[in-house]
Amino acid sequence: MEQPTVERPNLGSSTLSSCLQAIKIQETRIVLTAVEDTLRVQKTDPTPTAYFAVILSLLSQAISTSTGIVNKDLATSVVYLLDIVTPFVPQALLRSKFTQILTHLAPALTHPQADAPLLRPALGCLESLLCAQDAAAWALPQIQIGPRRAVAGLLSLAVDHRPKVRRRALDALTKVLKDPPPTPSLDHPAADMCAETSLRTLVEIASAADKSRRHRRQGENSNEPGLMHALQLTKTVAAASGGWPSKKIEPLCEHLLAIAKSRREYLTVAAFEVFEAIVGGMTDEMSSAKLPHLMEVIMELRPSQNDTHLLPPWVAIIARGYDVSSQVDPHETFQTLPEVFQLLSDFLSSSSYNVRVSASEGLVSLIVTCIPESILLDSSIYDDKVFEKLARLATELLSVKYQASWMEVFKVLGVMFEAFRWKSDPLLSDLVKIVGELRGDEAFTGKKEADEVLGRAVSAMGPETVLQILPLNLAQPRAGQPGRAWMLPILRQYVSNTKLAHFRSEFVPLSATLYQRVLEQRSGAPTMETKIYETVVQQIWALLPGYCNLPVDLVEAFDQSFAEQIANILYKQVELRADICKGLQLLVESNKAVLEQSSDEEQSHHPGLVTKQDAQNYLTHLATFAGNMLAVLFNVYSETLPQNRSFILRCINAYLSITSEEELMNTFTKVLSLFETSLDEAGPQTQAEKQKQSKAATKMPPMSHTFMDVVITMAIYLPRASFSTLFQTFSVIILKDDDPQLQKKAYKLIPRLAESDIGRTALQERNTELQELLLESAAKVSASAKRDRLTAIARVVEYLPSPDLHFIPSILSEVVISAKEVNEKARTAAFDLLVAMGEKMKQGGTVVNRKVPHMPNDAPDVQASLEEYFTMLSAGLAGSTPHMISASITALTRTLYHFRESLPEALLTDLVSTLDLFLTSNNREIVRSVLGFVKVCVISLPIPLMLPRLESLIPNLIGWSHEHKARFKEKVKHIMERIIRRFGIEIVEKWCPQDDRKLVTNIRKTRERRRRKKDAGGNVEGDGDDGVETNGKGRGGKFESEFDEAIYGSDDTEDSSDDDVMGRSRRQQTKGTAAGKGGSGQTFIIEDEDEPLDLLDPKSLARISSTKPSRRQRGSDSTTDRRMKAKTNLDGKLVLGDDDDGGENDPMILDTDANGGQNNNNPIDDGSGAGINAYVEAIKGKDAARRGQRGRLKFSNKKNNNKRGAAADDDGDEMDVDDRARHGAKNANAGPPPPPKKKAKYVTPLQRKQAKQREEAIARKKEEAKQRRASGGGGGGDGGAAGAGGKKRFTNNARGGGGGIKAMKNQRRGLGMGKTKGGRIAKGVNTNTGSVGNPNDTRVLVRRGGRSS
């Protein structure tokens, strides 16, 4: 019996006992037990040596040196145990037992029937034995029993056809070659042998594959796998032995390139992977001596210029080789760079696109890896000559010779600018000029690539140098030179770390000139030229942030005059404020970033960058302007609409961080006085007034709101001396309930203070004062300030001292009731605060109950704990209103889920039993919260705790499955699914009431159906045993927290139970479901049957749905169309009650003429109803089966074959008037049909008598109709006649009897008897009087063109 394949235990940090305990195979454990019993009998300690000795004795019993494998199962178990034990055995013992072990393992390694479970541990034993051998053992020749013979066995198994055996042999070979014995040689003693053997194997298999390929039929690949195995062996040897032996590199490269020329791509890739392994193994100093010879051999094997198959990997190997060479000897590699650059540049003139792309990528790799930073910082004369050669070669790439590859050349040039950095000027100036001239040509198609090259040039050379080569020519255009306004976006993207003075001297005057032209032209009608000037001015000032990003001349450039100029522009030109504020902000933040960086990062930059000392000097210089700049920014902030203030506030924040303490206090005092003044001037503002103001997008907010924003921004930078004034202002504002927006802003002050160290210290010192203030203001908090108030309370609780834990029960009721807030963010803040208070109670302390409001003075103190916290929350269950009870249950649900693993079992049991009782409540709001609690219990609490509660929980829960409001049935069904998944369906069926078993049966069938689909390969998520873990893996980050997933997660249905448990709105749930598995992110198009949806129509969005449309929405069902669409006649009048169009529009009726009969040109049918139309009549005709209202089949019991085209039916039956009204009449748009060909037919006497009666009835009705028309009334309610379109109409007799004007109207509308458009006579009959021939028969015959119906 073959044992299952197992992996060797990981021996990295394991002991022998742990490895032996990890054995799970039954047969191996039996052998291990026998070994341990032997050790106990011999009273030997279970050491690795003792195990080794006993297992070695068993090895001689299982495998004989003369007869081979004696017992295959025993041999597999023994060798497996030996593989585990040998790494722990002393190496000296392994060396002494090498011959014995090898002679016993050899039959297993060479046996033709040896399978992988035996070979893999045998190879592991060989690995341990070979790693233990010394240099003397490796010196033995291969003909003797020694390590070399064992390596030969490894090499033969390394090309085995079995993947696992081959993989294990390669791993063992790698381990042996990477662990050489201590010798003077650099390589392993067996490295040459392995290289020679693998090369010989590669050559033999490649030759055999080549010969076989010539005589092979198409589709065969007998030797291709062997060739892949040989390449893998060569790659392993090359990677493990530190490259390839120098003497054998040349023949290896020749054979690898010969294999790479194969038409098979996988062979080419494998061959060059060997090259990659050889080159990658030469990174150390010892083996790097082989690299120059290897690169020479590879470069001599240069492929053809248009060889698209071989050239790309050859270029990749060249690039990789020089990458390794630059790591070993960067200076020497840099000196040879121009030669290689010239070699690869020649391939850019190839006609093959793939070759050009490969050459450009190779050049990019050379430039990036072979130009070290050390040469840039300290270059010699020889290095400068190399840079000049590279610049000259790069310039030649823009010649006509390489025009086809200019797009690839631009990528190389962009990387070259980045590599050359400041040496680009003046070496690459010619490149900038050529590329700029190409970019200015309107016919040039590579503008995007050219822009990127010029942008890299701006970054490397600086904007001043680039603009000297390519001037803008905007203000005063030079003759013969075009304007280059297209340079402005390039400069905006790439300018940084340059001279700010260049912006002042070049762009500020240009902006002033152009803006003056805008002012001159604004007086007249707006023109396109004015708009162009405005756009250019905005693009000019968009350059300021780039110039302000680490300028190298900040002290000289940013002086008082420039600051005043900036302030004037901020006041006057509103559209430029965003760019200017961003630039001013970057002046501060970029220099602060330099101060915060590490010393290593600073040393890695070139000398042109700003140092830490420079950055400190720049910030000190900017601090002198901070006070005046803040005043300007405050004024601009007060004049800007709220939706456009964010960038100004960020700029203010930046300058506050560098303002001195004294100036900051003065500024704060001024702002606070202005705030108090504006507060006195502003009257009360109700919520309604606030909403009215918010509707006006151009209305400025009150000044008190503006100054409050400034105070909050300044808070974290204020010194401690100002905190008393700050908190006093805070205490006044939060008590003002007449201005909700101002109160909301005030609550943001506490979270703002928590962002700084000094602010956190203040919160700790004034915690008691803040507690009293928050409790006092609870009654005056507005709805819009709820969320910010809860956030502020959370910060107070975070720094709450242990003696003041009474604040938690004092504020708890407000937090609990906030869990039912309408605002989602407020609910989320309430849940986070509930958890934070629980964590604070968990830390311990004392709750002084007498300090809690509404508690007696003699209330005893209690120790803070989670149990006490849940007791506080449970007090809300006795609330007087359902809303409070529901909020308490929701709060308990959230805290229970977070602390479920920290609560004692008794408390959990009491909670579950208490909340179970609320399922019997009649209040939907309470039960809705309880459902969320039950779901959390079902999926998160331990199974032994929940099993006893299911007896009462399931009946109470399933009772709400009959409630259809608020989606109770769906929620209950989902919870029942979770219960079934976790506890089993038997438990549910046991406690489920008999009347509600249908729901359980439906859930069971749904799960089975889903499982069948999964087994059949359907994309349906399987059921898990535990809801939390299964959903967590299957959802892949759909929910923001674990609690969200527990409440809202579902495997197969969209569950929206307890929308208020975590503050999730229905809208967000819908978004999550559509993006998750339930919706699969699909979008459906509701398309009409007549014409496709026009996606260019703005109204098409109304026809795109994220849910699958129903059949009624899609309109794809023909019966639905007939049911929904009303018919009209030729006059446009509605025809109601016409369920069937008689097959006129039925696509299954083929080749019928206007009369409804068969087309005489159809050779299949002779007009008698046979052929295709007979089949159509059988399934779509009047007598075919139809479905009623509830889907039941109904059959017509009227005896009528409905064979048209004859004068009368064979049995003489006529069509009923009511049946005709139900199925409709033919629309004769094309006029009267031609008379059909009558066939000779035998007529019985009875038929002649009936025909005569019908003719008499027709004559009588004609006479009655004439009399009614002559009298002018009385016939308005009779049966209708055909209108202008040839269709009959039947009117209800209860509406008849009208006379006078109504009768004349009816006569004009065709409701009386008359002639149709085709000249045929149609009659109606009053059902009160009956028809002629039979007083009780209400049917009437209408003769049309010789056929009766």
Side-chain angles (χ1 to χ4, degrees), residues 697-921:
T698 58
K699 185 175 180 60
M700 297 294 296
M703 289 300 296
S704 57
H705 295 185
T706 301
F707 286 119
M708 192 68 203
D709 290 338
V710 175
V711 169
I712 294 173
T713 305
M714 298 178 65
I716 61 175
Y717 304 107
L718 294 175
R720 296 183 60 179
S722 62
F723 281 170
S724 57
T725 308
L726 186 66
F727 281 105
Q728 183 179 0
T729 304
F730 170 74
S731 62
V732 172
I733 299 302
I734 64 172
L735 294 176
K736 289 179 63 66
D737 55 353
D738 55 352
D739 194 343
Q741 187 69 12
L742 187 62
Q743 187 185 66
K744 177 181 179 180
K745 291 179 180 295
Y747 277 114
K748 293 181 180 180
L749 179 61
I750 294 179
R752 175 68 173 172
L753 286 174
E755 297 177 6
S756 64
D757 295 335
I758 190 172
R760 287 189 287 268
T761 304
L763 291 180
Q764 294 174 2
E765 294 175 352
R766 299 177 177 270
N767 199 281
T768 304
E769 178 184 345
L770 290 175
Q771 295 174 31
E772 297 175 356
L773 192 58
L774 290 172
L775 292 175
E776 182 183 355
S777 61
K780 295 188 176 182
V781 61
S782 58
S784 61
K786 276 285 187 181
R787 178 179 67 110
D788 297 289
R789 175 180 169 84
L790 292 171
T791 307
I793 294 174
R795 292 294 176 266
V796 173
V797 170
E798 183 180 353
Y799 303 108
L800 196 67
S802 53
D804 292 346
L805 291 180
H806 62 275
F807 176 70
I808 293 179
S810 302
I811 206 72
L812 186 60
S813 59
E814 179 185 353
V815 180
V816 169
I817 205 68
S818 298
K820 299 286 288 183
E821 279 290 328
V822 177
N823 185 278
E824 179 185 353
K825 294 181 179 179
R827 294 196 303 269
T828 304
F831 287 129
D832 294 340
L833 181 54
L834 286 170
V835 173
M837 291 191 297
E839 294 287 354
K840 199 67 178 181
M841 293 286 290
K842 185 179 178 180
Q843 295 174 5
T846 303
V847 180
V848 184
N849 282 328
R850 64 177 180 274
K851 294 184 179 180
V852 180
H854 310 296
M855 290 287 286
N857 294 329
D858 57 348
D861 299 341
V862 294
Q863 293 296 319
S865 63
L866 275 180
E867 292 84 349
E868 181 63 24
Y869 183 59
F870 273 85
T871 303
M872 297 175 184
L873 289 174
S874 302
L877 299 177
S880 57
T881 61
H883 189 72
M884 184 62 192
I885 297 174
S886 174
S888 301
I889 296 173
T890 303
L892 280 171
T893 304
R894 181 64 183 94
T895 50
L896 171 65
Y897 186 82
H898 185 82
F899 298 106
R900 63 187 183 278
E901 297 178 356
S902 304
L903 295 175
E905 185 175 347
L907 178 61
L908 292 175
T909 304
D910 294 341
L911 275 176
V912 176
S913 58
T914 302
L915 271 298
D916 187 11
L917 297 176
F918 282 94
L919 278 175
T920 60
S921 172

Side-chain angles (χ1 to χ4, degrees), residues 483-535:
R484 295 188 177 94
W486 49 266
M487 285 286 294
L488 294 176
I490 300 175
L491 293 171
R492 178 178 58 85
Q493 184 176 357
Y494 290 95
V495 167
S496 66
N497 189 221
T498 186
K499 295 181 179 180
L500 182 60
H502 178 253
F503 180 83
R504 290 189 60 183
S505 61
E506 178 76 17
F507 291 103
V508 174
L510 177 62
S511 171
T513 303
L514 297 180
Y515 187 67
Q516 184 62 33
R517 295 180 184 178
V518 172
L519 295 178
E520 293 173 357
Q521 296 182 6
R522 276 183 180 175
S523 57
T527 61
M528 181 61 66
E529 187 177 359
T530 305
K531 186 62 179 177
I532 292 175
Y533 284 143
E534 291 178 351
T535 304

Side-chain angles (χ1 to χ4, degrees), residues 376-417:
L376 287 172
L377 295 174
D378 185 15
S379 60
S380 62
I381 299 176
Y382 300 101
D383 296 334
D384 292 338
K385 291 183 178 180
V386 173
F387 279 115
E388 292 175 2
K389 291 180 182 179
L390 291 174
R392 186 170 58 255
L393 292 173
T395 307
E396 292 176 358
L397 294 179
L398 292 176
S399 62
V400 180
K401 177 182 177 182
Y402 303 101
Q403 185 174 3
S405 59
W406 273 356
M407 299 302 106
E408 290 76 28
V409 168
F410 284 155
K411 296 179 181 178
V412 178
L413 298 182
V415 175
M416 183 169 285
F417 276 109

Side-chain angles (χ1 to χ4, degrees), residues 956-971:
N956 294 337
L957 179 65
I958 209 167
W960 283 95
S961 64
H962 307 291
E963 178 65 47
H964 294 276
K965 293 183 178 180
R967 304 174 68 181
F968 273 90
K969 183 175 183 179
E970 178 185 346
K971 298 171 186 176

